[in-house]
């Protein structure tokens, strides 16, 4: 079975955890249909998309077609079984051609915003500059 997964952080092409993502990338950049808050949080500067429609702005990311094994790898990375971490949920995104896609995304638990420092956000996209902050934090820790 295949799954459409919207990625907005370290699972994107060119980012730290892309090697976990064995999915087939659909061409183009996709944006969430709903405005959503994307933060950079915690000691490791993690990208953290919160399921709070109407806050923030449409978030940019990539869309992948992922098989069951690939989804299991992503679920493990995102620690979906742990409270206060990520949860995979439905989402709608819009492609560059205007088409709306039903997919899933890893939302971060809103409670994490009270547990960890919020460094940035809401932001419209997780960028290489944000990833560099993460790499510096990991190297220092």
């Amino acid at each position: 079975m295949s799954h459409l997964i919207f990625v907005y952080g370290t699972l994107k092409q060119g980012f730290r955890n892309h090697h976990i993502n064995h999915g087939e990338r659909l061409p183009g950049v996709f944006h969430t249909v709903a405005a959503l808050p994307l933060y950079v949080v915690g000691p490791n500067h993690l990208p953290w998309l919160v399921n709070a429609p109407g806050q923030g702005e449409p978030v940019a990311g990539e869309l992948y077609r992922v098989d069951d094994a690939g989804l299991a790898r992503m679920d493990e990375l995102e620690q979906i079984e742990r409270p206060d971490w990520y949860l995979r949920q439905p989402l709608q995104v819009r492609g560059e051609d205007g088409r709306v896609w039903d997919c899933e995304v890893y939302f971060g638990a809103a409670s994490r915003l009270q547990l960890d420092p919020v460094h940035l956000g809401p932001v419209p996209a997780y960028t290489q500059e944000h990833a560099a902050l993460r790499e510096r934090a990991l190297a220092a820790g």
Side-chain angles (χ1 to χ4, degrees), residues 13-35:
Q13 189 171 351
F15 288 78
R16 180 179 188 82
N17 291 320
H18 183 69
H19 68 280
I20 301 291
N21 182 354
H22 294 182
E24 172 193 351
R25 183 176 176 187
L26 280 67
V29 175
F30 294 79
H31 289 84
T32 61
V33 170

Side-chain angles (χ1 to χ4, degrees), residues 51-118:
N51 192 0
Q55 298 179 30
E57 55 192 289
V59 172
E62 300 169 354
L63 194 60
Y64 288 84
R65 193 172 310 280
V66 179
D67 65 15
D68 289 336
L71 187 65
R73 281 189 300 276
M74 289 178 167
D75 284 352
E76 181 179 349
L77 173 73
E78 303 297 9
Q79 301 181 52
I80 64 169
E81 76 289 343
R82 289 184 55 191
D84 296 327
W85 279 91
Y86 293 97
L87 181 63
R88 184 168 34 87
Q89 294 183 311
L91 179 73
Q92 287 191 318
V93 296
R94 187 180 319 279
E96 294 170 339
D97 62 358
R99 178 178 171 190
V100 173
W101 296 75
D102 290 317
C103 60
E104 291 182 291
V105 68
Y106 293 97
F107 281 116
S111 59
R112 197 87 187 166
L113 301 177
Q114 282 74 48
L115 299 173
D116 283 333
V118 175

